[in-house]
Amino acid sequence: MIEMAPPADEPDHDVRPDLHLVADSDGALLCRIAERDLEAFEILYRRYARPVYGLALRRLNDRGRAEDATQEAFAAVWRSAATYAPARGGGARWLFTVARNTIVDHARRGGRTRLVPTAALPELAARDAGPEPAAEAGWLAFRVQAAVAELPERERLPLELAYWGGRSQSEIAQLLDLPLGTVKTRTRSALARLAVQLEQLR
Amino acid sequence: MSRRAPDLDNLIGGHLPGPERDRLTRVHEALLRAGPRPELPDSLARPPEVAVRRLPAARPARPRRRPLLAAVAAALAVAAAGGAYSLSAHPDEGPRRAVTMHGTAAAPTAHATLRIGDRDAAGNWPLTLRVRSLPPLPAGSYYSMYLTNNGHIVARCGTFKADPGATVVRLNVPYRLGEYSGWIIRRDFLDGRPGPTLLRT
């Protein structure tokens, strides 16, 4: 299928929050999960499976154990969603804390080892950092990855290619068969949208 | 392909006012520090089965609803985890979540299994009901399947007729299944009178 280039008047900054983000905020989803709403659980899982898995990979350095820990983390979310108190903070922070605690417990228990090639790991890990900086780094990566996941695909693709695909804007334009100006507009729009989302995820 | 950090000016151009540029710079730096999102392995393509299986112990509220909801939720969880839950000699249908329905006093030998397929993009759940030994229908009546909450009928899933032996019925419902606690099958009459409940989860 050929993707048509957008019109020249494509808005520079369409960063209005999507309606579903308002209706399905993390906190609202957790409240629904506390009421045993499977659909809410699936939505939250789709939104955060990658960030939680990324967190587990960083902490455990082992794919198999990271997979197990991710499953355990979401099981813990399901079990303890009723303890989430909206007045005490955002849903993302609560989920992060539950996931991190589960992963730490998993690390303490040890288990099978399946090494991950170093090149496949995200580059954030500040291996010499103490517990506090490491936790903050984990929280930052968690928020960023969750926010990136919520971007519209037309903005997410050029952004990911630019930041993690090592591609220049010209290469991205060629790859996506888009005018260079459109790639720049979409990348800038993605950054602006991320700024809004990261503020919401504090 | 060389891996290089992107230059913010190159990405967004150099014509932004100071505060907006500062904002985007913070995002830019956060992206560089966060690193790429990992690809999810197949094992994590769906939410964990164990999460839903532990449902009954999760929350003390609504105790009357819990057993039925647990049955529905546990059945949903099987497919949510992508797990195989083979109920019968119909391997051609592939893995499905399923709920067993039992005959009431009005139909003690009746039995049914309800397979729940994957919800489509529009939000519809395909249901395959395999029912057997339902009592024969009197003239002017038919079977109806309903979703219930705390024993009360709240939504109709469809109507059907059945052979005396086994019958397979395909239905499709748009409801949020997690909001209901169970299913029943009832005999209803064309003039609107309800008949007895014959099967329940």
Side-chain angles (χ1 to χ4, degrees):
Chain A
M1 177 193 281
I2 297 172
E3 184 182 352
M4 301 296 288
D9 60 351
E10 183 176 89
D12 272 1
H13 285 244
D14 182 11
V15 292
R16 291 166 296 181
D18 293 334
L19 285 178
H20 81 275
L21 290 180
V22 177
D24 292 338
S25 71
D26 300 327
L29 289 174
L30 285 169
C31 291
R32 285 169 56 190
I33 292 169
E35 295 294 326
R36 316 284 83 184
D37 185 330
L38 284 166
E39 185 186 40
F41 183 62
E42 289 187 11
I43 294 170
L44 196 76
Y45 183 83
R46 284 198 299 273
R47 191 175 292 172
Y48 283 105
R50 278 188 174 197
V52 170
Y53 180 56
L55 197 63
L57 270 179
R58 280 188 188 81
R59 181 69 176 78
L60 301 168
N61 272 6
D62 179 288
R63 274 194 201 289
R65 292 179 64 202
E67 290 171 26
D68 293 345
T70 303
Q71 297 261 0
E72 286 176 23
F74 278 96
V77 167
W78 175 264
R79 283 197 308 275
S80 54
T83 67
Y84 166 66
R88 290 166 57 188
R93 176 62 100 162
W94 182 90
L95 192 149
F96 171 78
T97 303
V98 169
R100 188 191 58 198
N101 291 344
T102 307
I103 292 163
V104 168
D105 286 348
H106 195 92
R108 286 184 185 137
R109 289 201 307 270
R112 62 196 168 111
T113 297
R114 210 187 314 166
L115 290 176
V116 186
T118 305
L121 287 171
E123 293 166 1
L124 169 69
R127 298 181 192 286
D128 296 326
E132 285 292 322
E136 277 311 306
W139 170 231
L140 173 76
F142 183 86
R143 286 162 59 215
V144 169
Q145 291 174 1
V148 169
E150 291 296 301
L151 288 175
E153 186 170 321
R154 66 183 203 146
E155 293 177 7
R156 184 168 46 77
L157 271 179
L159 183 96
E160 290 190 313
L161 286 168
Y163 278 88
W164 303 313
R167 305 279 185 154
S168 71
Q169 298 279 280
S170 304
E171 288 170 334
I172 295 169
Q174 195 170 16
L175 198 67
L176 300 180
D177 196 20
L178 291 171
L180 181 59
T182 301
V183 170
K184 285 184 182 293
T185 300
R186 290 185 182 183
T187 306
R188 185 166 144 184
S189 177
L191 289 169
R193 199 185 296 272
L194 283 177
V196 172
Q197 292 186 359
L198 289 175
E199 283 158 16
Q200 289 173 347
L201 285 176
R202 278 187 183 283
Chain B
M1 181 186 68
S2 62
R3 262 180 92 86
R4 55 186 178 271
D7 176 71
L8 184 61
D9 283 332
N10 183 253
L11 290 179
I12 64 174
H15 313 296
L16 283 179
E20 179 64 5
R21 183 180 173 73
D22 290 346
R23 213 162 142 255
L24 298 192
T25 300
R26 284 195 292 276
V27 175
H28 173 74
E29 289 169 352
L31 282 164
L32 293 176
R33 288 167 59 199
R37 298 183 305 148
E39 287 299 322
L40 274 188
D42 290 344
S43 66
L44 295 178
R46 287 175 179 274
E49 178 181 352
V50 63
V52 190
R53 277 184 174 170
R54 292 182 183 183
L55 173 66
R59 188 173 166 81
R62 300 181 185 174
R64 289 180 59 208
R65 180 181 169 185
R66 215 191 299 165
L68 286 174
L69 175 60
V72 177
L76 290 173
V78 174
Y85 189 73
S86 180
L87 284 168
S88 59
H90 299 280
D92 54 318
E93 294 190 354
R96 291 286 191 278
R97 71 207 89 175
V99 176
T100 302
M101 301 183 76
H102 305 283
T104 64
T109 61
H111 185 266
T113 54
L114 180 64
R115 290 164 181 265
I116 306 158
D118 291 324
R119 190 180 51 185
D120 67 19
N124 299 300
W125 296 89
L127 306 175
T128 303
L129 176 72
R130 195 176 300 275
V131 61
R132 67 170 183 268
S133 302
L134 277 171
L137 283 170
S141 65
Y142 54 91
Y143 303 112
S144 298
M145 188 165 78
Y146 297 91
L147 277 161
T148 61
N149 230 347
N150 296 330
H152 300 292
I153 289 174
V154 284
R156 183 151 75 176
C157 298
T159 59
F160 61 95
K161 294 193 171 186
D163 294 325
T167 298
V168 175
V169 182
R170 298 185 197 287
L171 304 163
N172 209 311
V173 297
Y175 312 115
R176 285 182 173 174
L177 297 184
E179 294 178 356
Y180 301 92
S181 55
W183 274 278
I184 67 160
I185 291 174
R186 193 173 78 178
R187 189 167 65 216
D188 287 332
F189 291 89
L190 290 171
D191 61 7
R193 282 179 297 128
T197 297
L198 305 171
L199 286 155
R200 65 171 72 251
T201 51

